[in-house]
């Protein structure tokens, strides 16, 4: 693992890919290696701007990330793009699996694009993405973008692993018309109305001023930052530099009062507890005594014969009573 860590730090892309594959593996021996690797890399992590980017399918996320990434590369940055898409399976359907997305960016050595890991639970996908983020930082990527689809719980998971959460919107309509789930606008540190071009330009202006009004009514997540609403055209590359400037303002303001470091500390703590929850649950489900109870107890709970809390307690008692 020390060798692999050294190769990653020297910028070896195959080593980086191998490390992320190792992290995503569920085999216990792989997990032990992955933890050793992450520990070796830990001193070299944290030196990036961590951005979450979300929006409903079709809003232009991949077009935006491509334009944004190329702009940042021009300015000397290196960008890694990860995804959190719990619906994706190894066989396909992942939001970054499609090779035609971000075609130009994917050819650049200053960019690294990694699709969402396969996983049955959002928690499982999110924890591996966090670890992949650290590996990318150790590999020298100074901007990490975590992309997710704007359709549910994955937004919260992503907001909990980044410094700044950016929500992309379409011109026209409020949250419901745009298919945005409740609470997602509240997570945003920056709102961007995309497709502000051609026939859609006027509509994009109206949408931006509607949202600028709406976000002023929300309780700000930080006293240092009032959520900004910007417009861009990812297709024409307009408004992209202004978005990077807004990221800079955000980091300056929050960084000056130590809020980014504080947020990261809290995220690490929550991650630790999440890790405990996931690991314990997996161990409980593997326990032979518990396994032999699950089907019956689930049936009884579904039929209303046993209160759910009592069924849960019974399984936990079996688990805590010892190895069998
Ligand atoms: P995603 O599903 O959110 O990743 O969206 P895509 O990036 O795949 O874009 C969906 C569609 O919107 C594609 O046909 C894009 O060409 C188009 N699109 C993306 N950005 C813009 C933009 O700024 N202006 C216009 N007019 N179309 C755009």
């Amino acid at each position: 693992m020390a060798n692999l860590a050294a190769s990653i730090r020297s910028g070896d892309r195959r080593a980086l890919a191998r490390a992320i594959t190792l992290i995503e593996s569920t085999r216990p021996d792989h997990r032990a290696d992955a933890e050793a690797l992450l520990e070796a890399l830990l001193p070299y992590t944290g030196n990036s701007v961590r951005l979450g980017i979300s929006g409903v399918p079709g809003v232009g996320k991949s077009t935006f990330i491509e334009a944004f990434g190329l702009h940042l590369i021009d300015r000397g940055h290196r960008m890694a793009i990860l995804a959190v898409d719990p619906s994706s399976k190894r066989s396909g359907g992942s939001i970054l699996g499609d090779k035609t997305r971000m075609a130009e960016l994917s050819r650049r050595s200053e960019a690294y694009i990694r699709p969402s890991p396969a996983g049955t639970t959002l928690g499982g996908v999110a924890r591996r993405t966090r670890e992949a983020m650290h590996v990318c930082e150790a590999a020298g990527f100074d901007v990490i973008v975590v992309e997710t689809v704007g359709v549910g719980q994955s937004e919260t998971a992503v907001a909990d692993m980044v410094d700044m959460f950016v929500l992309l919107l379409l011109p026209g309509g409020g949250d419901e018309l745009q298919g945005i789930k409740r609470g997602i606008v509240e997570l945003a540190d920056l709102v961007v109305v995309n497709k502000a071009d051609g026939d859609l330009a006027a509509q994009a202006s109206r949408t931006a001023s509607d949202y600028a009004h709406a976000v002023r009514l929300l309780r700000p997540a930080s006293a240092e930052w009032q959520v900004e609403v910007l417009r861009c055209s990812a297709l024409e590359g307009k408004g992209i530099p202004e978005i990077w400037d807004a990221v800079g303002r955000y980091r300056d303001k929050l960084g000056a009062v130590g809020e980014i470091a504080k947020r990261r500390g809290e995220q690490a703590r929550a991650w630790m507890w999440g890790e405990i929850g996931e690991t314990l649950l997996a161990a409980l489900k593997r326990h032979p005594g518990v396994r032999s109870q699950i089907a019956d107890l689930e049936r009884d709970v579904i039929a209303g014969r046993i209160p759910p809390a009592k069924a849960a307690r019974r399984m936990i008692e079996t688990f805590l009573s010892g190895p069998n």
Side-chain angles (χ1 to χ4, degrees), residues 50-67:
R50 300 172 179 172
L51 294 176
I53 293 188
S54 182
V56 295
V59 70
K61 289 181 296 301
S62 54
T63 312
F64 173 80
I65 293 169
E66 168 136 311

Side-chain angles (χ1 to χ4, degrees), residues 64 67 193-197 231-240:
F64 173 80
V193 182
N194 188 33
K195 308 199 185 186
D197 50 46
R231 279 171 293 158
C232 80
S233 167
L235 204 59
E236 297 179 356
K238 280 194 263 174
I240 301 292

Side-chain angles (χ1 to χ4, degrees), residues 118-273:
T120 48
T121 66
L122 170 60
V125 172
R127 65 213 272 230
R128 299 306 154 238
T129 303
R130 282 196 176 90
E131 292 177 344
M133 183 161 83
H134 283 193
V135 178
C136 290
E137 287 176 345
F141 292 93
D142 66 337
V143 181
I144 313 280
V145 164
V146 185
E147 178 189 2
T148 189
V149 280
V151 288
Q153 284 302 308
S154 48
E155 275 59 40
T156 313
V158 171
D160 285 345
M161 67 175 86
V162 297
D163 303 328
M164 185 178 196
F165 189 77
V166 181
L167 178 64
L168 295 188
L169 295 176
L170 290 164
D175 302 358
E176 272 143 54
L177 280 172
Q178 301 217 15
I180 298 166
K181 290 279 188 299
R182 263 181 96 86
I184 291 179
V185 177
E186 282 86 337
L187 293 174
D189 300 302
L190 178 65
V191 173
V192 176
V193 182
N194 188 33
K195 308 199 185 186
D197 50 46
D199 294 345
L200 295 168
Q203 182 73 317
S205 298
R206 278 195 296 278
T207 304
S209 55
D210 287 351
Y211 273 90
H213 182 70
V215 298
R216 271 197 297 272
L217 303 176
L218 298 173
R219 201 164 60 88
S222 162
E224 306 301 321
W225 181 252
Q226 173 60 55
V227 176
E228 294 188 18
V229 181
L230 301 175
R231 279 171 293 158
C232 80
S233 167
L235 204 59
E236 297 179 356
K238 280 194 263 174
I240 301 292
E242 288 77 2
I243 293 167
W244 182 238
D245 292 346
V247 173
R249 280 196 295 282
Y250 176 87
R251 283 175 42 85
D252 288 348
K253 286 195 171 158
L254 270 67
V257 293
E259 247 186 67
I260 290 181
K262 191 169 151 228
R263 194 184 275 207
R264 286 183 176 188
E266 285 302 321
Q267 288 171 342
R269 182 168 69 157
W271 176 5
M272 176 186 77
W273 284 106

